[in-house]
């Protein structure tokens, strides 16, 4: 479980996050949604420690992550997997080397064990046999899947995903969402997904936080979102005619 | 300026924090050594031969008096090559070749979130990315300078053979006469310092890149320009202190 308490983040004169508190449950897909510039990615970066919050605390299972220095954070960070918006695979390494990279640094496994783990992760994301390819040789969807394979290589307790569907076709987007959902449920991972893809929201949103102007505007599940009377959320979720039509059938 | 200097010093401190796994870092150091050393050997060899040859011809031209022994051209060319041309010009060329590569590589990793990915994993990104490059720079630039000195003096010999301004025998006598080991020590100290300057300044510029492809290019340019200025400044300081 991850708990954030009263998170503020300011860049110069710009207050991006204004006192956000939330709890992200274990074994559930926790989605952070909101319009562009609402502070979704900033919040995610504050949670994982890429940005230091101006004020507020982040707790990983009761441990205050915000108060820790770099060395103290390492044990928690080895339990974190993250899929970046552009996958952030290491260009100079093959798919296999990308997946084995955290294993090389933080485990005492033999080379054969690491290779087995890499092959397992690749099979898990349906990319078996692609070990020797370089990131430049992969499609956008394949890069995302390798990113997921790398994120789960250390058997993380926490999975953070930033815009998993950006730049993907609808079919591949659904495959990625299903994969995230399966992994979350199968391994009891606390998953936090930043997205503005409505298919993801309706498909895998166990717990959804809607950010608006740097504040938490609404919280609920994908079942509740269709029946909310929150104006800003409705404007965001049902902005397209397709979603409006879908809502009328719900 | 003081803000940047502070950030630079803090980054260096982070770079030399205890590594997560020595073996992985050592492999990176070896890879960087190959990249800096073997990768730069060709260009350093070419410029060294030409600079050695040109220096010898110019010295011979300036010492045309019958009162000055012709062999002195060899001595002056040798000392100029060892003390100044090999370390400094090699370093300036390496700042362009190696420095721009370091800044653009790290800068690209920054803008494509690869550095964020390292940090999320719990890897000390400055240590993993910058320390091996600095160590490789400090180890390989002196070796390249030694090669450059040898080839520079050989270039002078070839120039004597080809031009006849100074006989090869006179040149060799000059090269041997009055050799002082201090000049080589000065050259090696300069090389170590220049290696550090190139790797650390360019890595700093790359590490704090923000934006996109345009900013990566700007970081590489800044890295090379600042490295060149600092190389020339360090050259002056070391020369003043050691000679």
């Amino acid at each position: 479980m991850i708990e954030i308490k009263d998170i503020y983040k300011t860049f110069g004169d710009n207050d991006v996050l204004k006192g956000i508190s939330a709890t992200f449950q274990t074994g559930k897909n926790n989605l952070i949604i909101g319009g562009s510039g609402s502070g979704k990615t900033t919040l995610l970066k504050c949670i994982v420690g890429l940005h230091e919050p101006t004020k507020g605390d982040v707790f990983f299972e009761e441990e205050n992550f915000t108060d820790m220095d770099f060395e103290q954070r390492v044990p928690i960070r080895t339990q974190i997997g993250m899929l970046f918006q552009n996958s952030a695979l290491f260009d100079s390494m093959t798919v296999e080397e990308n997946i084995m990279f955290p294993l090389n640094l933080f485990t005492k496994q033999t080379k054969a064990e690491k290779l087995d783990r890499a092959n397992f992760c690749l099979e898990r994301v349906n990319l078996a046999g692609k070990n020797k390819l370089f990131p430049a040789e992969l499609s956008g969807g394949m890069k995302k899947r390798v990113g997921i394979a790398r994120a789960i290589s250390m058997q993380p307790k926490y999975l953070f995903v930033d815009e998993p569907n950006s730049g993907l076709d609808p079919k591949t987007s659904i495959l990625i969402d299903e994969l995230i959902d399966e992994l979350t449920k199968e391994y009891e991972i606390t998953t936090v997904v930043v997205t503005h893809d409505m298919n993801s929201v309706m498909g895998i949103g166990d717990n959804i936080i809607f950010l608006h102007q740097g504040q938490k505007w609404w919280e609920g599940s994908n079942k509740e979102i269709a029946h909310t009377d929150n104006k800003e959320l409705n404007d965001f979720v049902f902005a397209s005619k397709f979603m409006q039509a879908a809502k009328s059938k719900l | 300026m003081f803000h940047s200097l502070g950030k630079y010093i803090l980054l260096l401190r982070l770079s030399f924090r205890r590594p997560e796994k020595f073996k992985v870092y050592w492999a990176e150091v070896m890879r960087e050594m190959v990249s800096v050393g073997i990768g730069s050997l060709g260009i350093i060899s070419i410029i060294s031969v030409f600079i050695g040859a040109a220096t010898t011809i110019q010295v011979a031209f300036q010492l045309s008096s019958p009162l000055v022994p012709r062999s002195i051209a060899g001595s002056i060319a040798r000392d100029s090559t060892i003390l100044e041309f090999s370390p400094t010009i090699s370093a300036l060329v390496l700042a362009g070749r190696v420095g721009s590569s370091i800044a653009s590589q790290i800068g690209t990793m920054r803008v494509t979130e690869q550095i964020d990915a390292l940090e999320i994993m719990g890897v000390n990104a400055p240590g993993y990315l910058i320390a091996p490059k600095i160590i490789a720079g400090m180890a390989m630039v002196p070796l390249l300078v030694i090669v450059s000195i040898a080839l520079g003096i050989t270039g002078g010999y070839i120039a004597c053979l080809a031009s006849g301004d100074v006989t090869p025998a006179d040149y060799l006598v000059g090269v041997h006469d009055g050799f002082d080991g201090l000049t080589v020590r000065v050259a090696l100290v300069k090389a170590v310092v220049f290696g550090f300057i190139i790797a650390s300044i360019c890595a700093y510029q790359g590490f704090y890149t923000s934006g996109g492809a345009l900013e990566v290019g700007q970081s590489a340019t800044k890295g090379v320009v600042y490295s060149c200025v600092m190389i020339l400044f360090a050259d002056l300081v070391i020369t003043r202190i050691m000679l």
Side-chain angles (χ1 to χ4, degrees), chain A residues 70 77 91 101 104 106-107, chain B residues 17 21 114 119 121 128:
Chain A
F70 180 85
R77 284 209 155 128
D91 303 325
F101 182 78
N104 284 334
F106 296 108
T107 71
Chain B
R17 201 181 244 169
K21 208 171 209 177
Q114 292 176 54
E119 286 176 356
M121 288 175 196
Y128 179 73

